[in-house]
Amino acid sequence: MSFPLLTATAALPAVGAVVTAAVPAKQRTAAKWLALLFSVATLVLAAIVAVRFDPDGGRYQLTESHAWIADFGVRYELGVDGIGVALVALTALLIPFVILAGWHDADPQEEGVESRSVAAGRWRPTQGFFALILLVEAMVIISFEATDVFVFYIFFEAMLIPMYFLIGGFGDRAGPHGEKEAATQRSYAAVKFLLYNLVGGLIMLAAVIGLYVVAGNFSLQEIAEARANGSLDMATDTERWLFLGFFFAFAVKAPLWPLHTWLPNAMGEATAPVAVLITAVVDKVGTFAMLRFCLQLFPEASKWATPVILVLALISIVYGALLAVGQRDIKRLVAYASISHFGFIILGIFAMTSQGQSGATLYMVNHGISTAALMLVAGFLISRRGSRLIADYGGVQKVAPVLAGTFLIGGLATLSLPGLAPFVSEFLVLVGTFSRYPVIGIIATIGIVLAALYTLVLYQRTMTGPVKPSTEGIADLRVRELAVVVPLIAVLIFLGVYPKPLTELVNPAVKHTLSDVQKKDPKPEVEAAHK
């Protein structure tokens, strides 16, 4: 029996969560280093997965399959295609930086309270914070690996619980409200996050049960193969209802307009590292699942719903960017920018072209890295001043030039500047969309213009101009913070200049997906120079 590499990659952070949570209450520093060690070890396993994966090999590789609940056709089945490998690698790459960035986010503020609680054996905020992050990592990774619909659903829903506690229990201390009001806002954001995603999950559960009734099992590969060879024939209405059940849950997670409203609250009230965990890691499960499950299980329904989904994606692009322009809160600005970016991702997926879907997959990876860079630097800035409001800053580049420079690079990546990784993905999405839906492709470019506006205005208002009295004492980035930001910027530059390793990884998987929906790239219309 070969080594279960995929299981090990998902299980290691789960083990790390248990070990970290068990560290004695007074040993906060030990808990931090243990969490970091387990996250780096997980990154090593993810790198091995990427090295062992052959883009020219079978569709799903490194597969594992074991009987689980045989009476109901449930099997523990894992496997990765190129898209899954890319997102497992993204998750494993970001978590160590999330942990480093949040090194002091869960330190107790009142040492006297801590001492009394430690004596009573109750107070372990630091251990709990880092254990929850590792637990989310484990659940996200196995969601990218699962090829059994029931297994995927379990972890798709289970990750909501640790995220709820990370948002509500370890929220931002730098909000514009008093401590009591801030706690209320954190609770509201956490409950809203949980309720939105639970409703989506319950609707999906009904669709999962319906799929089992129709297909007799939960195996993605078996169902897709049966659909392809004609041995499983779904009625048109049945397929459409099942598709809508799956898509609704994924659209909430993504998030897609008008199901997006939980995201600005959650990112605004969470700490910056947890905000990165939400939008750069957890939300990617939604867009990934659209490619893996919606298109593969329900190809005809996917094509039927495409016009409406493209319009919703277009609204997300423009609406999210417009609201980002008008934000006064740094973190909520990044949240609305992310809604716009997710619109581009979904647009690329349902354009049903190889350029669009390759671009969408690259966008998932590149958006994760660029948003992490921008949000984490913003978090470092906010922690120094104690405010998320843009108006409370000014002239920061004169007192903290390295912080301002890294903030600028993160912002330029967000607006997809050529030479940085997001440019490649956004360009491919627009090219792929324009080749089949030219009007939608043209309108989507409004998002690019607005991205330049909200990014540069944010930089101008916070970093340039005279130094405000409130920003005179802001310190530049420390060694730990540089260790977080510099590698992310290096990856952005590398993938912006040389995206070939990533495109070669995902392109074969995109071809398989287009084959599932029986779509080919439209032929370019070229007029003959001479008739």
Side-chain angles (χ1 to χ4, degrees):
M1 180 180 296
S2 59
F3 179 73
L5 184 57
L6 297 185
T7 294
T9 306
L12 187 59
V15 173
V18 174
V19 173
T20 301
V23 173
K26 292 184 178 181
Q27 304 298 320
R28 297 197 306 270
T29 302
K32 296 173 184 179
W33 281 107
L34 270 174
L36 183 61
L37 177 63
F38 274 98
S39 68
V40 171
T42 303
L43 176 59
V44 171
L45 287 182
I48 295 173
V49 169
V51 169
R52 291 190 56 185
F53 182 84
D54 179 9
D56 297 321
R59 180 169 189 174
Y60 293 107
Q61 300 178 32
L62 306 175
T63 55
E64 303 172 29
S65 181
H66 307 282
W68 186 15
I69 311 175
D71 292 342
F72 294 97
V74 179
R75 296 185 62 83
Y76 175 78
E77 288 189 345
L78 305 181
V80 286
D81 59 4
I83 299 170
V85 170
L87 293 175
V88 167
L90 170 69
T91 303
L93 173 68
L94 290 181
I95 297 301
F97 299 120
V98 167
I99 290 173
L100 270 177
W103 201 251
H104 298 297
D105 284 358
D107 288 349
Q109 292 178 294
E110 301 180 43
E111 293 298 330
V113 172
E114 182 198 13
S115 299
R116 293 192 300 272
S117 298
V118 166
R122 296 192 301 268
W123 186 270
R124 293 190 180 191
T126 303
Q127 289 85 336
F129 179 73
F130 292 105
L132 289 171
I133 290 174
L134 290 174
L135 192 58
V136 172
E137 178 183 22
M139 293 177 177
V140 170
I141 287 177
I142 203 166
S143 297
F144 291 140
E145 297 173 343
T147 56
D148 183 279
V149 177
F150 190 79
V151 172
F152 170 84
Y153 176 79
I154 288 175
F155 292 100
F156 179 81
E157 287 295 282
M159 70 180 70
L160 301 179
I161 305 304
M163 286 306 308
Y164 168 81
F165 288 109
L166 284 170
I167 297 168
F170 299 92
D172 194 356
R173 299 170 181 171
H177 317 285
E179 183 57 36
K180 185 176 180 180
E181 180 64 20
T184 301
Q185 291 294 324
R186 289 195 298 269
S187 297
Y188 172 78
V191 170
K192 189 173 184 180
F193 163 82
L194 187 63
L195 288 179
Y196 266 66
N197 284 275
L198 277 179
V199 169
L202 289 173
I203 292 174
M204 181 182 170
L205 177 60
V208 169
I209 294 171
L211 180 66
Y212 175 75
V213 171
V214 173
N217 64 78
F218 294 103
S219 173
L220 172 68
Q221 296 183 72
E222 290 183 16
I223 297 172
E225 184 178 347
R227 298 227 59 194
N229 62 28
S231 60
L232 174 59
D233 185 22
M234 284 189 196
T236 300
D237 288 345
T238 300
E239 180 179 349
R240 289 177 179 178
W241 281 111
L242 294 177
F243 167 85
L244 290 174
F246 276 74
F247 181 80
F248 183 86
F250 303 152
V252 172
K253 183 87 78 178
L256 177 68
W257 184 92
L259 305 171
H260 67 284
T261 59
W262 63 267
L263 183 65
N265 295 97
M267 288 184 65
E269 299 304 325
T271 62
V274 173
V276 170
L277 197 62
I278 294 169
T279 190
V281 177
V282 172
D283 288 354
K284 297 302 187 299
V285 178
T287 48
F288 164 80
M290 292 178 189
L291 279 166
R292 171 163 284 190
F293 295 101
C294 286
L295 270 59
Q296 193 169 345
L297 294 174
F298 316 110
E300 294 303 319
S302 297
K303 290 185 285 187
W304 163 76
T306 288
V308 174
I309 295 172
L310 291 177
V311 171
L312 295 178
L314 195 58
I315 294 173
S316 288
I317 292 170
V318 178
Y319 173 85
L322 280 173
L323 265 65
V325 171
Q327 290 304 305
R328 296 180 298 172
D329 183 311
I330 296 174
K331 291 168 72 177
R332 289 178 71 90
L333 185 151
V334 178
Y336 280 109
S338 290
I339 291 169
S340 181
H341 294 149
F342 275 103
F344 276 109
I345 294 171
I346 296 170
L347 188 70
I349 291 171
F350 284 90
M352 305 284 189
T353 60
S354 59
Q355 300 99 326
Q357 292 190 354
S358 293
T361 304
L362 265 63
Y363 216 131
M364 292 186 224
V365 175
N366 295 334
H367 169 263
I369 300 169
S370 63
T371 300
L374 179 62
M375 179 59 85
L376 293 178
V377 177
F380 297 148
L381 177 66
I382 291 167
S383 67
R384 285 158 165 74
R385 172 63 179 80
S387 173
R388 306 197 312 246
L389 297 179
I390 296 172
D392 288 339
Y393 296 90
V396 174
Q397 66 181 8
K398 296 178 182 178
V399 296
V402 177
L403 187 154
T406 54
F407 189 84
L408 177 62
I409 295 174
L412 294 176
T414 298
L415 64 82
S416 300
L417 183 76
L420 296 174
F423 169 76
V424 179
S425 45
E426 193 162 277
F427 177 78
L428 286 174
V429 166
L430 289 172
V431 168
T433 303
F434 185 84
S435 65
R436 194 180 295 278
Y437 304 101
V439 174
I440 291 177
I442 291 171
I443 297 174
T445 58
I446 295 173
I448 301 175
V449 178
L450 294 174
L453 180 60
Y454 62 69
T455 300
L456 296 178
V457 168
L458 172 65
Y459 184 84
Q460 180 189 35
R461 292 177 177 174
T462 56
M463 302 296 167
T464 65
V467 180
K468 291 188 176 182
S470 58
T471 60
E472 288 178 349
I474 289 180
D476 217 335
L477 293 182
R478 304 178 181 91
V479 174
R480 173 181 59 84
E481 295 164 337
L482 287 170
V484 171
V485 178
V486 171
L488 293 174
I489 291 175
V491 174
L492 286 173
I493 295 172
F494 175 78
L495 292 178
V497 175
Y498 189 67
K500 184 179 178 181
L502 199 53
T503 56
E504 287 185 341
L505 179 66
V506 304
N507 282 345
V510 166
K511 290 180 180 178
H512 284 299
T513 303
L514 287 176
S515 176
D516 291 333
V517 294
Q518 299 179 348
K519 283 280 190 177
K520 295 181 179 179
D521 289 334
K523 295 181 179 179
E525 297 180 5
V526 181
E527 293 186 11
H530 303 282
K531 293 185 179 180

